[in-house]
Amino acid sequence: MLTTRQLDQYLDDVSALHKLVFPDASIDISPNNELLTYGLVLDGSAAQKATNKVVGFGAVYTRKMQQGTRTFNAGIVGGIAIHPDYREKGFCSHLMAQLEFAQIQANVEHSFLFAYEPRVYHAVGYQMLHAPIHFFDTPSNQWASFVYRGGMVKSFGKENGLPIEPHTLIEFNGQVY
């Protein structure tokens, strides 16, 4: 897990990884008041380099959300990227375990992510999110509501907390990451 200051030394490598993995998207990893932590996976076997190679990255943001009359602590996992040469080797599971640990320590009840490849996240316990969400759409600079394709949720806490209702709107109280 990294602080913003610790991430500074890897920023160029993380930006290059995001451009490789998401060539048509702009991924913003700037810190804000919702940032809980950054996760980083390094390949220590990169012998030809003086430093370790960044092969994975992700971030977790936290905020209060509501569904119906219930308010809960939520985590939002974003910016997840694993270098294509390192996929299917357990690096994503390792990264997600780091991010999950941080969320549990922060008393997150439900963790959300928006996946390009949902099958990867099923392997670490995320389920498809069928509930609509109300969120701030940063590109259009307005609030929007819909069922986000690729939306996923994982519940923590005693007996996995109270479940997310499948058809009741979730008030995200901000942007998705």
Side-chain angles (χ1 to χ4, degrees), residues 10-174:
Y10 298 105
L11 269 179
D12 291 341
D13 292 337
V14 169
S15 293
L17 176 64
H18 276 140
K19 285 179 185 165
L20 174 68
V21 174
F22 306 109
D24 298 327
S26 174
I27 307 291
D28 181 12
I29 61 168
S30 302
N32 62 32
N33 65 341
E34 295 181 332
L35 177 68
L36 176 62
T37 192
Y38 295 114
L40 193 68
V41 179
L42 303 173
D43 177 4
S45 68
Q48 59 270 57
K49 281 189 150 185
T51 60
N52 293 322
K53 178 179 180 179
V54 174
V55 299
F57 176 82
V60 175
Y61 303 85
T62 59
R63 69 169 74 112
K64 296 277 189 194
M65 293 185 189
Q66 294 85 31
Q67 188 179 42
T69 59
R70 186 167 63 103
T71 298
F72 56 89
N73 294 322
I76 308 154
V77 177
I80 298 290
I82 301 294
H83 191 286
D85 295 344
Y86 292 81
R87 292 183 183 162
E88 312 252 342
K89 297 178 182 177
F91 288 96
C92 187
S93 294
H94 175 73
L95 175 62
M96 293 304 292
Q98 289 180 45
L99 300 176
E100 182 175 319
F101 179 78
Q103 291 178 87
I104 291 169
Q105 294 298 308
N107 296 314
V108 164
E109 296 171 61
H110 301 287
S111 176
F112 297 88
L113 64 79
F114 301 91
Y116 286 97
E117 297 181 39
R119 67 172 180 76
V120 172
Y121 303 100
H122 280 164
V124 293
Y126 281 82
Q127 301 297 319
M128 295 308 296
L129 177 65
H130 300 289
I133 65 171
H134 182 245
F135 67 101
F136 187 76
D137 182 48
T138 307
S140 69
N141 201 32
Q142 42 186 308
W143 289 91
S145 295
F146 62 91
V147 176
Y148 216 111
R149 188 175 14 207
M152 303 187 81
V153 62
K154 182 174 183 176
S155 298
F156 306 119
K158 293 181 181 176
E159 299 173 18
N160 280 337
L162 294 172
I164 294 294
E165 295 293 326
H167 303 292
T168 304
L169 181 89
I170 299 169
E171 178 54 62
F172 247 58
N173 291 324

